[in-house]
Amino acid sequence: MKTVMTSVAVLAAAAVWGCSPAGGGGETVAAPACDLAALSAEAAETALAGCGRAWIDANVRLNETQSIGTHNSFKQAIPEAVMSEIAKRNANAAVGLDYEHPVLAVQFDKGARKLELDPYYDPVGGRFSNPLAVRMMAASGATPPPFDAEALAAPGIKVFHTPDIDYWSHCYTLAKCMSDVVAWSDAHPDHAPILIMLNTKSSGVSWEGATEVLAWDKAAFDMMDAEILSVVPREKIITPDEVRGDFPTLREAVLAGNWPTLGKARGRILFAIDNGVETTDLYIEGRPNLTGRLAFPNTRPDAPEAAYFTMNDAFGEGELIRERVAQGFLVRTRADANTTEARTNDRTRLDAALASGAQWVSTDYQTPNPEFGTGYAATLPDGATARCNPVNAAAKCGSVKVD
Protein backbone atom coordinates (compact mmCIF):
# COMPACT_ATOMS: atom_id res chain seq x y z
CA MET A 1 0.00 0.00 0.00
CA LYS A 2 2.82 2.41 0.84
CA THR A 3 4.43 1.82 -2.58
CA VAL A 4 1.13 2.51 -4.35
CA MET A 5 0.55 5.73 -2.42
CA THR A 6 4.09 6.92 -3.12
CA SER A 7 3.61 6.28 -6.82
CA VAL A 8 0.37 8.24 -6.80
CA ALA A 9 2.09 11.14 -5.07
CA VAL A 10 4.90 11.15 -7.65
CA LEU A 11 2.41 11.17 -10.50
CA ALA A 12 0.43 13.98 -8.91
CA ALA A 13 3.59 16.06 -8.45
CA ALA A 14 4.62 15.33 -12.01
CA ALA A 15 1.27 16.59 -13.27
CA VAL A 16 1.67 19.81 -11.33
CA TRP A 17 5.18 20.47 -12.62
CA GLY A 18 4.42 19.60 -16.23
CA CYS A 19 6.51 16.44 -16.36
CA SER A 20 6.07 12.72 -15.90
CA PRO A 21 8.36 10.05 -14.50
CA ALA A 22 10.28 7.99 -17.03
CA GLY A 23 11.93 4.63 -16.59
CA GLY A 24 14.64 3.57 -14.22
CA GLY A 25 17.17 6.39 -14.72
CA GLY A 26 14.94 8.98 -13.10
CA GLU A 27 14.71 11.00 -16.31
CA THR A 28 11.52 12.90 -16.95
CA VAL A 29 9.62 13.59 -20.12
CA ALA A 30 7.47 16.63 -20.71
CA ALA A 31 3.81 16.08 -19.89
CA PRO A 32 1.12 17.73 -22.02
CA ALA A 33 0.69 21.33 -20.93
CA CYS A 34 -2.56 23.27 -20.75
CA ASP A 35 -3.08 25.66 -23.64
CA LEU A 36 -3.71 28.86 -21.71
CA ALA A 37 -3.82 30.76 -25.02
CA ALA A 38 -6.83 28.75 -26.23
CA LEU A 39 -9.89 30.70 -27.31
CA SER A 40 -11.91 29.68 -24.26
CA ALA A 41 -11.93 27.54 -21.15
CA GLU A 42 -14.07 25.01 -22.98
CA ALA A 43 -11.53 24.80 -25.81
CA ALA A 44 -8.72 24.30 -23.30
CA GLU A 45 -10.71 21.59 -21.54
CA THR A 46 -11.50 19.85 -24.80
CA ALA A 47 -7.83 19.83 -25.74
CA LEU A 48 -6.75 18.41 -22.38
CA ALA A 49 -9.02 17.31 -19.55
CA GLY A 50 -8.62 19.41 -16.42
CA CYS A 51 -7.30 22.49 -18.23
CA GLY A 52 -10.54 24.47 -18.32
CA ARG A 53 -10.15 25.63 -14.74
CA ALA A 54 -6.49 26.56 -15.29
CA TRP A 55 -7.52 28.59 -18.35
CA ILE A 56 -10.15 30.43 -16.32
CA ASP A 57 -7.68 31.27 -13.55
CA ALA A 58 -5.25 32.71 -16.10
CA ASN A 59 -7.71 34.52 -18.38
CA VAL A 60 -10.81 35.53 -16.44
CA ARG A 61 -10.71 38.52 -14.11
CA LEU A 62 -12.71 39.15 -10.97
CA ASN A 63 -15.08 41.57 -12.73
CA GLU A 64 -15.80 38.99 -15.45
CA THR A 65 -17.73 36.65 -13.16
CA GLN A 66 -21.25 36.46 -11.74
CA SER A 67 -22.51 34.81 -8.59
CA ILE A 68 -25.42 34.76 -6.15
CA GLY A 69 -25.17 36.21 -2.66
CA THR A 70 -27.44 36.73 0.31
CA HIS A 71 -29.16 39.86 1.57
CA ASN A 72 -28.94 40.65 5.29
CA SER A 73 -26.90 37.50 5.59
CA PHE A 74 -26.63 37.63 9.39
CA LYS A 75 -30.40 37.66 9.96
CA GLN A 76 -32.16 35.17 12.17
CA ALA A 77 -35.95 34.90 12.35
CA ILE A 78 -37.79 37.37 14.54
CA PRO A 79 -39.45 35.46 17.40
CA GLU A 80 -43.22 35.20 17.06
CA ALA A 81 -43.94 37.25 20.18
CA VAL A 82 -41.99 40.20 18.77
CA MET A 83 -43.31 39.73 15.24
CA SER A 84 -46.85 39.99 16.61
CA GLU A 85 -46.00 43.31 18.21
CA ILE A 86 -44.50 44.59 14.95
CA ALA A 87 -47.61 43.49 13.01
CA LYS A 88 -49.87 45.43 15.39
CA ARG A 89 -48.04 48.62 14.50
CA ASN A 90 -47.20 47.96 10.85
CA ALA A 91 -48.57 44.83 9.18
CA ASN A 92 -46.67 45.45 5.93
CA ALA A 93 -43.38 45.79 7.79
CA ALA A 94 -44.01 42.47 9.53
CA VAL A 95 -44.56 40.75 6.18
CA GLY A 96 -41.35 42.22 4.75
CA LEU A 97 -39.31 41.12 7.78
CA ASP A 98 -40.50 37.51 7.66
CA TYR A 99 -37.30 35.87 6.41
CA GLU A 100 -34.10 34.42 7.83
CA HIS A 101 -30.80 32.82 6.81
CA PRO A 102 -28.78 29.91 8.17
CA VAL A 103 -25.33 30.53 9.65
CA LEU A 104 -22.76 32.08 7.30
CA ALA A 105 -20.85 28.84 6.70
CA VAL A 106 -24.01 27.12 5.48
CA GLN A 107 -24.72 30.01 3.12
CA PHE A 108 -21.24 29.61 1.64
CA ASP A 109 -21.72 25.85 1.39
CA LYS A 110 -24.92 26.47 -0.56
CA GLY A 111 -23.04 28.67 -3.03
CA ALA A 112 -23.22 32.23 -1.71
CA ARG A 113 -20.20 34.26 -2.77
CA LYS A 114 -21.46 37.55 -1.37
CA LEU A 115 -22.68 38.51 2.09
CA GLU A 116 -24.38 41.67 3.27
CA LEU A 117 -23.86 43.02 6.77
CA ASP A 118 -25.53 45.94 8.56
CA PRO A 119 -22.92 47.51 10.88
CA TYR A 120 -23.87 49.86 13.73
CA TYR A 121 -21.37 52.15 15.44
CA ASP A 122 -21.01 51.42 19.16
CA PRO A 123 -17.61 52.68 20.33
CA VAL A 124 -18.40 52.49 24.05
CA GLY A 125 -20.48 49.33 24.05
CA GLY A 126 -23.88 48.55 25.50
CA ARG A 127 -25.87 50.91 23.27
CA PHE A 128 -27.97 48.06 21.90
CA SER A 129 -27.84 45.58 24.78
CA ASN A 130 -31.30 46.46 26.22
CA PRO A 131 -33.64 46.38 23.20
CA LEU A 132 -37.06 48.00 23.33
CA ALA A 133 -38.77 44.67 22.56
CA VAL A 134 -37.22 43.19 25.72
CA ARG A 135 -38.41 46.12 27.81
CA MET A 136 -41.91 46.00 26.34
CA MET A 137 -42.29 42.29 26.98
CA ALA A 138 -40.90 42.53 30.49
CA ALA A 139 -43.38 45.33 31.26
CA SER A 140 -46.26 43.12 30.11
CA GLY A 141 -45.05 40.17 32.16
CA ALA A 142 -43.94 38.12 29.13
CA THR A 143 -40.60 36.37 28.87
CA PRO A 144 -38.38 38.07 26.26
CA PRO A 145 -36.81 35.78 23.62
CA PRO A 146 -33.10 35.14 24.28
CA PHE A 147 -30.32 37.03 22.49
CA ASP A 148 -26.59 37.59 23.02
CA ALA A 149 -26.65 40.57 25.37
CA GLU A 150 -23.02 39.95 26.34
CA ALA A 151 -21.81 40.43 22.77
CA LEU A 152 -23.87 43.61 22.45
CA ALA A 153 -22.44 44.98 25.70
CA ALA A 154 -18.84 45.03 24.45
CA PRO A 155 -17.39 48.06 22.63
CA GLY A 156 -17.17 47.78 18.85
CA ILE A 157 -19.13 47.58 15.61
CA LYS A 158 -22.38 45.61 15.96
CA VAL A 159 -24.21 43.68 13.22
CA PHE A 160 -27.96 43.10 13.11
CA HIS A 161 -30.91 44.31 11.03
CA THR A 162 -32.86 46.81 13.12
CA PRO A 163 -32.23 47.78 16.74
CA ASP A 164 -34.99 47.15 19.26
CA ILE A 165 -37.17 44.88 17.06
CA ASP A 166 -35.06 42.82 14.61
CA TYR A 167 -31.75 42.28 16.38
CA TRP A 168 -31.32 38.47 16.31
CA SER A 169 -28.08 37.87 14.44
CA HIS A 170 -25.76 34.98 13.62
CA CYS A 171 -22.84 37.29 14.45
CA TYR A 172 -23.64 40.24 16.71
CA THR A 173 -20.25 41.88 16.20
CA LEU A 174 -18.33 42.69 13.04
CA ALA A 175 -15.31 40.86 14.45
CA LYS A 176 -17.37 37.67 14.92
CA CYS A 177 -18.77 37.92 11.39
CA MET A 178 -15.26 38.29 10.01
CA SER A 179 -14.01 35.38 12.09
CA ASP A 180 -16.76 33.16 10.65
CA VAL A 181 -15.95 34.26 7.08
CA VAL A 182 -12.21 33.68 7.48
CA ALA A 183 -12.74 30.25 9.04
CA TRP A 184 -14.81 29.08 6.08
CA SER A 185 -12.52 30.71 3.53
CA ASP A 186 -9.39 29.16 5.00
CA ALA A 187 -11.07 25.75 4.90
CA HIS A 188 -11.98 26.27 1.21
CA PRO A 189 -8.96 28.16 -0.18
CA ASP A 190 -9.93 27.66 -3.82
CA HIS A 191 -13.26 29.50 -3.63
CA ALA A 192 -14.19 32.31 -6.01
CA PRO A 193 -13.68 35.73 -4.39
CA ILE A 194 -16.26 36.69 -1.78
CA LEU A 195 -17.80 40.16 -1.62
CA ILE A 196 -18.73 41.49 1.81
CA MET A 197 -21.15 44.36 1.32
CA LEU A 198 -21.39 46.73 4.28
CA ASN A 199 -24.58 48.79 4.65
CA THR A 200 -23.70 51.04 7.56
CA LYS A 201 -26.72 52.11 9.60
CA SER A 202 -27.34 55.47 11.23
CA SER A 203 -31.01 55.21 12.22
CA GLY A 204 -33.40 52.85 13.98
CA VAL A 205 -37.15 52.62 14.57
CA SER A 206 -39.25 55.64 15.51
CA TRP A 207 -41.13 53.97 18.37
CA GLU A 208 -41.20 55.72 21.72
CA GLY A 209 -38.34 54.54 23.87
CA ALA A 210 -36.32 53.26 20.92
CA THR A 211 -32.52 53.23 21.01
CA GLU A 212 -30.73 56.28 19.62
CA VAL A 213 -28.42 55.17 16.82
CA LEU A 214 -25.13 56.96 16.25
CA ALA A 215 -24.41 58.40 12.82
CA TRP A 216 -21.41 57.09 10.93
CA ASP A 217 -18.47 59.44 10.65
CA LYS A 218 -14.80 59.15 9.74
CA ALA A 219 -13.95 57.78 13.19
CA ALA A 220 -16.57 55.07 12.80
CA PHE A 221 -15.14 54.03 9.44
CA ASP A 222 -11.64 54.00 10.88
CA MET A 223 -12.88 51.68 13.62
CA MET A 224 -14.56 49.47 11.01
CA ASP A 225 -11.37 49.05 8.99
CA ALA A 226 -9.35 48.39 12.14
CA GLU A 227 -11.79 45.72 13.32
CA ILE A 228 -11.68 44.00 9.95
CA LEU A 229 -7.88 43.96 9.99
CA SER A 230 -7.87 42.60 13.52
CA VAL A 231 -9.34 39.39 12.09
CA VAL A 232 -8.70 39.31 8.33
CA PRO A 233 -5.06 39.32 7.14
CA ARG A 234 -4.49 42.23 4.76
CA GLU A 235 -3.08 39.92 2.10
CA LYS A 236 -6.40 38.07 2.06
CA ILE A 237 -8.23 41.28 1.11
CA ILE A 238 -8.48 42.59 -2.44
CA THR A 239 -8.01 46.29 -1.73
CA PRO A 240 -8.40 49.50 -3.75
CA ASP A 241 -4.62 49.94 -3.56
CA GLU A 242 -4.07 46.56 -5.22
CA VAL A 243 -6.53 47.26 -8.03
CA ARG A 244 -5.27 50.80 -8.61
CA GLY A 245 -1.69 49.60 -8.96
CA ASP A 246 0.36 52.13 -10.89
CA PHE A 247 -2.62 53.95 -12.39
CA PRO A 248 -3.18 57.58 -11.33
CA THR A 249 -6.70 56.80 -10.02
CA LEU A 250 -8.75 53.77 -9.09
CA ARG A 251 -11.33 54.65 -11.75
CA GLU A 252 -8.67 54.64 -14.48
CA ALA A 253 -7.44 51.25 -13.30
CA VAL A 254 -10.96 49.85 -13.39
CA LEU A 255 -11.63 51.19 -16.89
CA ALA A 256 -8.35 49.57 -17.98
CA GLY A 257 -9.47 46.21 -16.57
CA ASN A 258 -6.88 46.04 -13.81
CA TRP A 259 -8.90 43.71 -11.58
CA PRO A 260 -6.94 40.61 -10.50
CA THR A 261 -7.34 37.36 -12.40
CA LEU A 262 -9.21 34.57 -10.67
CA GLY A 263 -5.90 32.81 -10.18
CA LYS A 264 -4.88 35.70 -7.93
CA ALA A 265 -8.32 36.28 -6.41
CA ARG A 266 -9.36 32.79 -5.30
CA GLY A 267 -9.57 32.32 -1.58
CA ARG A 268 -9.76 36.08 -1.00
CA ILE A 269 -12.32 38.68 0.08
CA LEU A 270 -13.24 42.18 -1.03
CA PHE A 271 -15.37 44.72 0.78
CA ALA A 272 -17.82 47.29 -0.56
CA ILE A 273 -19.78 50.03 1.21
CA ASP A 274 -23.40 50.13 0.09
CA ASN A 275 -24.44 53.59 1.31
CA GLY A 276 -25.14 56.78 -0.61
CA VAL A 277 -22.43 59.30 -1.39
CA GLU A 278 -23.26 61.50 1.61
CA THR A 279 -21.97 58.63 3.75
CA THR A 280 -19.30 57.10 1.54
CA ASP A 281 -17.69 60.54 1.06
CA LEU A 282 -16.77 60.29 4.76
CA TYR A 283 -14.94 57.03 4.07
CA ILE A 284 -13.03 58.66 1.21
CA GLU A 285 -12.27 61.88 3.11
CA GLY A 286 -8.56 62.31 3.75
CA ARG A 287 -7.78 59.18 1.73
CA PRO A 288 -7.42 60.32 -1.90
CA ASN A 289 -7.76 57.32 -4.20
CA LEU A 290 -8.74 55.33 -1.09
CA THR A 291 -5.08 54.96 -0.14
CA GLY A 292 -4.86 52.50 2.74
CA ARG A 293 -8.61 51.85 2.83
CA LEU A 294 -10.03 48.33 2.67
CA ALA A 295 -13.40 48.80 0.96
CA PHE A 296 -14.72 50.00 -2.39
CA PRO A 297 -17.40 52.62 -1.65
CA ASN A 298 -20.55 53.14 -3.70
CA THR A 299 -19.79 56.55 -5.19
CA ARG A 300 -20.28 58.82 -8.19
CA PRO A 301 -19.49 57.24 -11.57
CA ASP A 302 -17.03 60.03 -12.44
CA ALA A 303 -15.26 60.02 -9.05
CA PRO A 304 -11.56 59.07 -9.01
CA GLU A 305 -12.51 56.35 -6.50
CA ALA A 306 -15.27 54.84 -8.67
CA ALA A 307 -15.07 51.05 -8.88
CA TYR A 308 -18.26 49.65 -7.34
CA PHE A 309 -21.98 50.49 -7.52
CA THR A 310 -25.05 49.26 -5.65
CA MET A 311 -27.92 49.28 -8.15
CA ASN A 312 -30.97 47.56 -6.70
CA ASP A 313 -33.41 47.95 -9.61
CA ALA A 314 -32.50 45.48 -12.34
CA PHE A 315 -35.64 46.50 -14.25
CA GLY A 316 -35.32 50.26 -14.30
CA GLU A 317 -31.51 50.31 -14.27
CA GLY A 318 -30.81 47.21 -16.34
CA GLU A 319 -29.28 49.03 -19.29
CA LEU A 320 -27.15 51.21 -17.04
CA ILE A 321 -25.96 48.15 -15.10
CA ARG A 322 -24.94 46.49 -18.37
CA GLU A 323 -23.15 49.65 -19.46
CA ARG A 324 -21.16 49.90 -16.23
CA VAL A 325 -20.30 46.21 -16.21
CA ALA A 326 -19.05 46.51 -19.80
CA GLN A 327 -16.89 49.46 -18.73
CA GLY A 328 -15.23 47.35 -16.03
CA PHE A 329 -17.08 48.43 -12.88
CA LEU A 330 -18.45 46.07 -10.22
CA VAL A 331 -22.20 46.09 -9.57
CA ARG A 332 -24.46 44.40 -7.05
CA THR A 333 -28.21 44.16 -7.67
CA ARG A 334 -31.16 42.28 -6.18
CA ALA A 335 -33.21 39.27 -7.26
CA ASP A 336 -35.98 39.78 -4.69
CA ALA A 337 -37.01 42.04 -1.84
CA ASN A 338 -39.40 42.15 1.11
CA THR A 339 -40.48 38.51 0.49
CA THR A 340 -42.61 39.69 -2.49
CA GLU A 341 -41.17 37.53 -5.27
CA ALA A 342 -40.82 34.48 -3.05
CA ARG A 343 -44.49 34.50 -2.09
CA THR A 344 -45.62 34.30 -5.73
CA ASN A 345 -42.62 32.58 -7.39
CA ASP A 346 -42.08 35.68 -9.52
CA ARG A 347 -38.71 35.17 -11.22
CA THR A 348 -38.81 38.18 -13.54
CA ARG A 349 -36.64 40.32 -11.27
CA LEU A 350 -34.15 37.48 -10.85
CA ASP A 351 -33.99 36.96 -14.61
CA ALA A 352 -33.46 40.68 -15.17
CA ALA A 353 -30.73 40.76 -12.52
CA LEU A 354 -28.83 37.86 -14.07
CA ALA A 355 -29.18 39.28 -17.59
CA SER A 356 -27.88 42.68 -16.43
CA GLY A 357 -24.41 41.25 -15.84
CA ALA A 358 -24.22 42.54 -12.26
CA GLN A 359 -21.39 40.53 -10.72
CA TRP A 360 -23.35 39.81 -7.54
CA VAL A 361 -27.09 39.21 -7.29
CA SER A 362 -28.58 39.28 -3.79
CA THR A 363 -31.40 37.08 -2.55
CA ASP A 364 -33.16 36.17 0.66
CA TYR A 365 -33.87 32.73 -0.78
CA GLN A 366 -30.98 30.45 -1.62
CA THR A 367 -33.53 27.70 -1.04
CA PRO A 368 -37.35 27.87 -1.08
CA ASN A 369 -39.32 28.83 2.00
CA PRO A 370 -41.63 25.83 2.59
CA GLU A 371 -44.18 28.07 4.31
CA PHE A 372 -44.76 29.94 1.05
CA GLY A 373 -45.12 26.75 -0.98
CA THR A 374 -44.03 28.43 -4.22
CA GLY A 375 -40.64 26.83 -4.77
CA TYR A 376 -38.97 30.21 -5.34
CA ALA A 377 -35.18 30.24 -4.99
CA ALA A 378 -32.53 32.40 -6.66
CA THR A 379 -29.78 30.36 -8.29
CA LEU A 380 -27.46 30.53 -11.28
CA PRO A 381 -28.23 28.36 -14.30
CA ASP A 382 -27.05 24.74 -14.00
CA GLY A 383 -26.53 25.14 -10.28
CA ALA A 384 -23.17 26.89 -10.67
CA THR A 385 -21.72 28.81 -7.73
CA ALA A 386 -20.03 31.31 -10.03
CA ARG A 387 -19.97 31.63 -13.81
CA CYS A 388 -18.46 33.78 -16.52
CA ASN A 389 -20.29 37.08 -16.75
CA PRO A 390 -22.98 37.11 -19.48
CA VAL A 391 -22.21 40.72 -20.41
CA ASN A 392 -18.42 41.06 -20.47
CA ALA A 393 -17.16 37.45 -20.64
CA ALA A 394 -19.98 35.42 -22.18
CA ALA A 395 -17.75 33.38 -24.52
CA LYS A 396 -14.91 32.70 -22.11
CA CYS A 397 -16.11 29.78 -19.99
CA GLY A 398 -18.58 27.73 -22.01
CA SER A 399 -19.65 24.78 -19.88
CA VAL A 400 -16.67 25.08 -17.49
CA LYS A 401 -17.73 26.38 -14.09
CA VAL A 402 -15.81 29.12 -12.32
CA ASP A 403 -16.58 27.67 -8.88
Side-chain angles (χ1 to χ4, degrees), residues 351-373:
D351 292 342
L354 294 175
S356 75
Q359 288 87 353
W360 291 280
V361 177
S362 289
T363 183
D364 288 320
Y365 301 95
Q366 284 185 288
T367 56
N369 183 335
E371 293 184 7
F372 297 163

Side-chain angles (χ1 to χ4, degrees), residues 15 21 28 63 76-77 90 206 213 377:
T28 60
N63 65 306
Q76 296 189 50
N90 189 328
S206 58
V213 177

Side-chain angles (χ1 to χ4, degrees), residues 1-2 13 86 165 170 231 242 262 302 345 351 360 371 375 384:
M1 178 63 72
K2 182 176 180 181
I86 296 171
I165 62 168
H170 290 300
V231 179
E242 177 181 344
L262 280 177
D302 59 349
N345 197 23
D351 292 342
W360 291 280
E371 293 184 7

